[in-house]
Amino acid sequence: MAPFRLWALALALSPVVAAADFSFPSFFEGQWDMEKLEENGVVTRCSYDIKKQSALMLKGVYTEASAGGEIQMQVEVMCTSDRVGVFQKVNENGPNTDIFSFSFPPRPEAEVEVSQEADLNDNNTVTRVTTFTITSSSSFVLTVSPKGGAVRTWVATRRGTPKPASSVGKAPQGSKPAKAAAAGKRKSLFRRYGLYIALAIVLLLLRLAYESATKSLAAGGKAKAS
């Protein structure tokens, strides 16, 4: 199996926390390094620096690289429970603006925590689906799928978290040049292909979920009308 696949599997299969003990504010507090992937293949480096203000409130800064330097946005995460809340943009001259909401239903037998929220317009039509998947205690994937728009995905790792080691492709001990070459090859393979393959699968699953949610809402609307 290719090294980048082992790395992706290791993240996906790492236990999050026991479902009864899960707390989003506790999980999300800290510094996160992220890559935002857009459908056109553009990858942008981003980060979160978030601190708890109370048991159910976090505040911090979202930073995104741009051609002109960096774009920063003050954010707050307001929770109504350990599993439910909303991300908000802090506005200096007015009330905060909602960015997206989340709700992680208890999943006692699951290895990951998943929130999938659909935004509806006045006609009860889905306009956007936001999926937040916590893949381990130090990683998550956030995907925003607007109707008729480009899907964007953020892949995040807690700052300072080492990548799982892999024994695949190791050179014999004592062969430093061969070991260095193998390490460079593994790094290159992951950077070139691993992220895109993993995210392509995520995007496909999210498209299917989006279509399913749309059909369910449409069916529910017809049933009410009749």
Side-chain angles (χ1 to χ4, degrees), residues 1-10 13 166-169 186 189:
M1 182 178 290
F4 63 81
R5 292 182 182 176
L6 288 178
W7 185 87
L9 281 173
L13 296 178
S166 171
S167 60
V168 177
R186 288 197 296 274
L189 280 172

Side-chain angles (χ1 to χ4, degrees), residues 111-131:
E111 293 289 346
V112 298
E113 297 284 351
V114 180
S115 165
Q116 189 167 69
E117 294 292 300
D119 295 339
L120 305 177
N121 61 17
D122 294 337
N123 296 322
N124 208 37
T125 301
V126 175
T127 59
R128 183 181 70 171
V129 174
T130 302
T131 304

Side-chain angles (χ1 to χ4, degrees), residues 31 52 71 106 123 127 130 148 154 161 173 175 182 191 211 220-221:
Q31 295 177 309
K52 271 188 180 181
I71 299 173
N123 296 322
T127 59
T130 302
W154 288 259
T161 301
Q173 293 183 358
S175 177
R191 284 186 175 178
E211 292 174 1

Side-chain angles (χ1 to χ4, degrees), residues 15 43 53-54 66 73-74 81 108 161 180 201 224:
V43 178
Q53 305 299 305
S54 65
S66 69
M73 178 174 64
Q74 299 288 327
S81 72
T161 301
I201 295 173
K224 290 180 181 180

Side-chain angles (χ1 to χ4, degrees), residues 22 29 41 50 120 197:
F22 176 73
E29 182 179 31
I50 299 288
L120 305 177
I197 292 177

Side-chain angles (χ1 to χ4, degrees), residues 17 26 30 32 35 37 58 63 71 75 114 119-120 128-129 136 143-144 146 153 176-177 184 187 216:
V17 286
S26 297
W32 297 89
E35 288 187 338
L37 177 65
L58 303 103
T63 304
I71 299 173
V75 297
V114 180
D119 295 339
L120 305 177
R128 183 181 70 171
V129 174
S136 78
T143 299
V144 178
T153 299
K176 293 183 179 180
K187 189 174 182 181
S216 296

Side-chain angles (χ1 to χ4, degrees), residues 102-113:
F102 60 88
S103 177
F104 293 90
R107 297 160 55 87
E109 304 300 324
E111 293 289 346
V112 298
E113 297 284 351

